[in-house]
């Protein structure tokens, strides 16, 4: 079968514009990674809150959850490469302000890392009162960033 040149060029053109439109794999992976990680963090944080609400938290279940949040928090900064905002065409709640005011975003991420480490340490030491206040501080860190840098659902 023989195609006229025009068909071949049209097909090439489609491939080229698709490549220009589709987000680079590294960007897609970063968006997927941060969403999956925040989801895990959200679930772990909720479980810790539920334990605290019970009045006598089971530290054996709290410890690995707090450890997981702290480990994930450290990795999050690298999941926000330039170009991974709404302009990527991907489904994301990351606001363009993340890259416009990156210093503030990075600072809030740093606050989260610090607060998550404190939560991990309180859980590891089995200090229930300390766990309660570390939880409140971490919750504040989540909210400060979401209010400013995450769109409503
Ligand atoms: C420095 C900013 C920042 C901090 C701190 C932060 N988040 Fe987020 N979070 C975001 C952004 C931005 C998104 C949207 C990501 C996307 O859609 O690409 C998000 C998304 C989420 C999601 C939705 C994930 C999904 O797609 O299903 C959950 C749940 C979440 N965060 C929980 C938390 C919790 C819990 C904390 C604190 C322990 C926290 N976040 C701290 C910025 C932050």
């Amino acid at each position: 079968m023989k195609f006229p040149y025009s068909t071949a060029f049209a097909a090439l053109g489609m491939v080229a514009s698709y490549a220009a439109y589709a987000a680079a794999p590294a960007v897609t992976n970063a968006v997927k990674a941060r969403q999956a990680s925040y989801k895990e963090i959200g679930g772990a944080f909720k479980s810790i809150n539920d334990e605290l609400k019970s009045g006598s938290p089971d530290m054996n279940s709290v410890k690995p959850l707090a450890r997981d949040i702290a480990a994930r928090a450290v990795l999050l900064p690298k999941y926000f490469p330039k170009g991974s905002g709404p302009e990527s065409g991907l489904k994301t709640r990351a606001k363009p302000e993340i890259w416009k005011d990156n210093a503030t975003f990075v600072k809030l991420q740093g606050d989260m890392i610090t607060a998550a480490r404190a939560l991990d340490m309180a859980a590891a030491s089995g200090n229930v009162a300390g766990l309660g206040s570390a939880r409140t501080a971490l919750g504040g860190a989540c909210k400060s960033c979401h209010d400013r840098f995450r769109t409503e659902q």
Side-chain angles (χ1 to χ4, degrees):
M1 229 210 283
K2 249 182 142 186
F3 292 106
Y5 278 122
S6 58
T7 313
F9 280 117
L12 272 176
M14 274 165 66
V15 169
S17 58
Y18 175 74
Y21 175 77
V27 164
T28 306
N29 290 341
V31 171
K32 278 189 189 152
R34 74 189 179 217
Q35 290 172 346
S37 200
Y38 279 129
K39 206 168 182 177
E40 285 292 321
I41 289 172
F45 195 49
K46 182 183 182 303
S47 301
I48 293 175
N49 275 305
D50 289 347
E51 286 292 342
L52 278 163
K53 251 184 247 161
S54 78
S56 54
D58 171 9
M59 287 306 210
N60 287 326
S61 55
V62 166
K63 273 180 212 172
L65 295 169
R67 176 59 43 100
D68 185 46
I69 294 174
R72 287 180 181 281
V74 178
L75 298 176
L76 276 166
K78 66 175 185 187
Y79 299 145
F80 285 90
K82 269 208 180 103
S84 68
E87 75 277 24
S88 65
L90 301 168
K91 198 168 176 285
T92 176
R93 292 169 69 190
K95 286 190 185 171
E97 282 72 16
I98 290 174
W99 296 274
K100 283 182 202 143
D101 184 7
N102 198 245
T104 304
F105 183 74
V106 168
K107 192 208 165 281
L108 293 177
Q109 265 181 333
D111 291 349
M112 177 189 181
I113 293 169
T114 305
R117 281 200 180 123
L119 183 83
D120 183 28
M121 272 159 64
S125 69
N127 176 348
V128 175
L131 184 73
S133 48
R135 175 275 313 264
T136 305
L138 180 59
C142 313
K143 191 178 181 307
S144 318
C145 188
H146 291 163
D147 286 353
R148 193 159 176 163
F149 292 113
R150 187 178 72 167
T151 60
E152 297 298 322
Q153 206 118 34

